[in-house]
Amino acid sequence: MAVIKTPYILALIAFVLSFHLDLAASRNFKYEPNWDSLDSRPLPDWYDQGKIGIFIHWGVFSVPSFSSEWFWYHWQGPQKWPAIQNFMAANYPPDWTYADFAEQFDTPAGLYDPDHWADIFNASGARYVVQVTKHHEGFTSWPSKHSFNWNSMDVGPKRDLVADISTAVRKYPNLRYGVYHSLFEWFNPLYLQDAANEYKTQEFPFTKTLPELYELVNTYKPDIVWSDGCPSTDAYWNSTYFLAWLYNESPVKDTVVTNDRWGGNCICKHGGFLTCSDGYNPGKLSTRKFENAMKLDASSWGYRRDLNLKFTISIEKLLQTVVKTISCNGNILINVGPTKEGTIPPIFEERLRQMGSWLQVNGEAVYYSRPWVHQNDTLTPGVWYTQRKEFNAVYAFVYDWPEGVLKLGAPVPTSQTQVTLLGSYNQAFTYTYEPGQSFNINIPTIPFNQMPCEWLWVFKLTNLE
């Protein structure tokens, strides 16, 4: 890590404090630097309408590509993992450092192609992409002025990876670009000193974290700022002042979306949307918008060489997770971990393209949808619901293809109700209704080659009571 000189630190602190005092004194801003005000900001419509995003975990941790993206911490942190100690002893010389891995974080011509990445993400049916621009290791994927010799321009790729990916993603009108940024860094001496001072000093956020966040937003204009790594409170990180600037003054003030990881006391309480925990999915209606950040590899967010197929989520399970999440008022953020050379493993590409082919048939029930009065069926397991009020339609997502009849307990039909299968020949299905018991949809025999899709099916029910 570079040593930041004291005069620079003092000047920067004075600047940031001056800015924050001006902000606090102003009464012209719509959103003030407190949670009551910040939490009153409505989420921009595009986020709820889009439903599905792609997460990219790519950094120096992709070089050892063993265990997980927490490799450095579990290798040299306070609680060392024996498996990682053994891996290093067997494969690297004893004087090897984590910085040596950064030299091998290369992007060979002919392998790394951000346009191909963007093509995969667009084909997946996702509506936004969130790139890990800095994980807890502190390495920035852009040429940050606040991370000398520990960024993607000075070492490793020798290029601006944030510019690469944001430019490629924005070539597709359906896709928006966002950044993930870790507030803290495991081994940064300025952070460790603040922690040793019980967070009563704020040298690290004022000289590192906040300048990086302002730099990211002003330079790349992301539509999502996905914060993470937040020991201590939002007061230590000065989070509310940054968010007030983001919502009032930044170049993305009208479109930007944020999450809830702005301090340990904020998670699942404050921010734009809630994440609560990795893989968060309450299974019931959430009154506040949440996001389920989940992995295609059950064991790691970053790429790992020891990936085994049994740890890779199936397309059936992926789609079921998507459906359950959006039924409960959530978005889903699906993670891929590229290799150090900048390629996306074929198994991840396959899952994303499979999801995209399914969404081409069933996207009507996903995009722009809202939760219904019932999230899942009261009679038949494996059936979840969304609705589109503008179509006067409720959509029943069915995990298992029904044989003969599909019995549903939640819907109540009217004389105007019609039942169709999304993507089919648009022929209405007949049904019967037993009041207080079940709504019975008759399922005809459909030849396999005439089925509209695989894995999970959607019945459209219109004009229900």
Side-chain angles (χ1 to χ4, degrees):
M1 296 292 180
V3 177
I4 304 175
K5 296 186 181 298
T6 300
Y8 170 78
I9 293 173
L10 294 176
L12 185 59
I13 290 175
F15 168 77
V16 175
L17 284 175
S18 173
F19 171 80
H20 286 165
L21 288 172
D22 290 344
L23 176 62
S26 172
R27 287 296 174 262
N28 296 323
F29 288 149
K30 185 174 182 180
Y31 301 104
E32 297 183 358
N34 62 72
W35 287 118
D36 285 344
S37 179
L38 296 171
D39 286 344
S40 71
R41 177 181 183 260
L43 277 178
D45 289 340
W46 73 262
Y47 179 77
D48 179 59
Q49 292 166 356
K51 305 299 182 187
I52 300 172
I54 302 297
F55 219 175
I56 308 170
H57 273 69
W58 192 39
V60 175
F61 51 82
S62 306
V63 179
S65 55
F66 182 79
S67 182
S68 79
E69 70 287 349
W70 280 62
F71 181 91
W72 190 10
Y73 188 79
H74 292 151
W75 173 30
Q76 296 184 326
Q79 295 181 335
K80 298 174 172 58
W81 285 20
I84 293 179
Q85 304 299 311
N86 295 337
F87 174 81
M88 290 303 301
N91 294 285
Y92 295 91
D95 59 346
W96 192 267
T97 68
Y98 193 75
D100 292 324
F101 284 124
E103 296 289 347
Q104 298 182 349
F105 183 31
D106 54 1
T107 51
L111 292 180
Y112 170 56
D113 182 358
D115 286 325
H116 180 59
W117 288 24
D119 175 72
I120 295 171
F121 303 151
N122 182 64
S124 76
R127 292 295 182 259
Y128 58 95
V129 175
V130 178
Q131 178 185 0
V132 171
T133 62
K134 187 190 80 170
H135 198 254
H136 314 321
E137 63 188 14
F139 185 89
T140 66
S141 295
W142 79 99
S144 176
K145 298 175 182 177
H146 312 285
S147 190
F148 174 72
N149 207 38
W150 195 234
N151 66 74
S152 63
M153 187 65 77
D154 290 342
V155 64
K158 303 294 180 68
R159 60 193 297 167
D160 186 339
L161 301 178
V162 176
D164 283 353
I165 296 171
S166 62
T167 299
V169 163
R170 285 169 169 150
K171 291 178 182 178
Y172 292 90
N174 283 334
L175 288 175
R176 291 176 180 260
Y177 175 78
V179 296
Y180 164 111
H181 176 271
S182 173
L183 296 178
F184 90 130
E185 298 171 16
W186 290 314
F187 301 115
N188 189 300
L190 297 178
Y191 168 73
L192 293 175
Q193 185 60 57
D194 281 350
N197 294 336
E198 298 180 342
Y199 301 105
K200 295 175 182 177
T201 56
Q202 293 176 282
E203 197 162 353
F204 181 72
F206 280 130
T207 60
K208 191 70 162 63
T209 295
L210 289 167
E212 285 177 347
L213 283 168
Y214 289 120
E215 185 180 53
L216 272 173
V217 172
N218 283 320
T219 305
Y220 304 101
K221 301 174 178 56
D223 283 322
I224 299 173
V225 179
W226 213 102
S227 183
D228 195 21
C230 46
S232 191
T233 66
D234 64 284
Y236 168 72
W237 296 109
N238 252 38
S239 299
T240 56
Y241 288 92
F242 170 75
L243 290 173
W245 170 82
L246 188 68
Y247 293 167
N248 289 307
E249 291 289 287
S250 78
V252 290
K253 61 185 176 64
D254 296 323
T255 59
V256 73
V257 175
T258 65
N259 66 336
D260 57 350
R261 301 187 185 189
W262 296 98
N265 59 318
C266 303
I267 298 174
C268 220
K269 296 177 182 177
H270 299 299
F273 58 83
L274 306 181
T275 63
C276 300
S277 61
D278 293 346
Y280 179 68
N281 192 353
K284 59 183 180 180
L285 181 64
S286 173
T287 56
R288 284 193 60 179
K289 190 71 182 179
F290 71 93
E291 185 175 79
N292 178 358
M294 52 84 67
K295 310 185 293 287
L296 292 179
D297 172 7
S299 295
S300 177
W301 296 92
Y303 173 72
R304 59 191 182 97
R305 284 180 274 182
D306 52 335
L307 174 65
N308 190 300
L309 184 61
K310 68 180 179 180
F311 294 111
T312 303
I313 192 170
S314 68
I315 183 58
E316 290 85 358
K317 182 65 175 177
L318 174 59
L319 293 177
Q320 290 172 15
T321 305
V322 170
V323 166
K324 185 176 178 180
T325 299
I326 66 172
S327 294
C328 297
N329 197 30
N331 276 25
I332 191 163
L333 189 62
I334 302 165
N335 181 72
V336 296
T339 67
K340 75 179 185 68
E341 294 87 3
T343 61
I344 294 178
I347 189 64
F348 297 157
E349 178 176 353
E350 180 184 53
R351 289 292 177 271
L352 295 183
R353 291 190 183 275
Q354 286 173 324
M355 180 176 70
S357 70
W358 182 86
L359 284 165
Q360 285 183 343
V361 174
N362 300 291
E364 176 187 325
V366 175
Y367 309 120
Y368 295 88
S369 69
R370 296 292 299 157
W372 190 40
V373 292
H374 297 273
Q375 279 59 66
N376 56 327
D377 194 59
T378 56
L379 180 63
T380 300
V383 177
W384 292 77
Y385 295 103
T386 62
Q387 65 173 326
R388 295 279 298 271
K389 290 184 177 180
E390 67 271 33
F391 300 150
N392 200 14
V394 169
Y395 302 90
F397 297 81
V398 179
Y399 290 0
D400 299 306
W401 181 254
E403 296 293 339
V405 63
L406 172 61
K407 290 181 174 289
L408 301 176
V412 177
T414 68
S415 60
Q416 302 299 313
T417 295
Q418 280 198 326
V419 179
T420 54
L421 179 66
L422 289 189
S424 70
Y425 38 81
N426 211 32
Q427 178 178 334
F429 287 56
T430 62
Y431 60 85
T432 59
Y433 179 58
E434 301 173 46
Q437 297 187 48
S438 63
F439 177 44
N440 309 308
I441 302 172
N442 298 312
I443 307 298
T445 300
I446 302 176
F448 179 81
N449 61 0
Q450 293 183 24
M451 291 292 285
C453 63
E454 300 179 74
W455 311 306
L456 193 153
W457 299 269
V458 183
F459 289 87
K460 180 178 181 180
L461 319 175
T462 58
N463 301 303
L464 295 177
E465 185 177 284

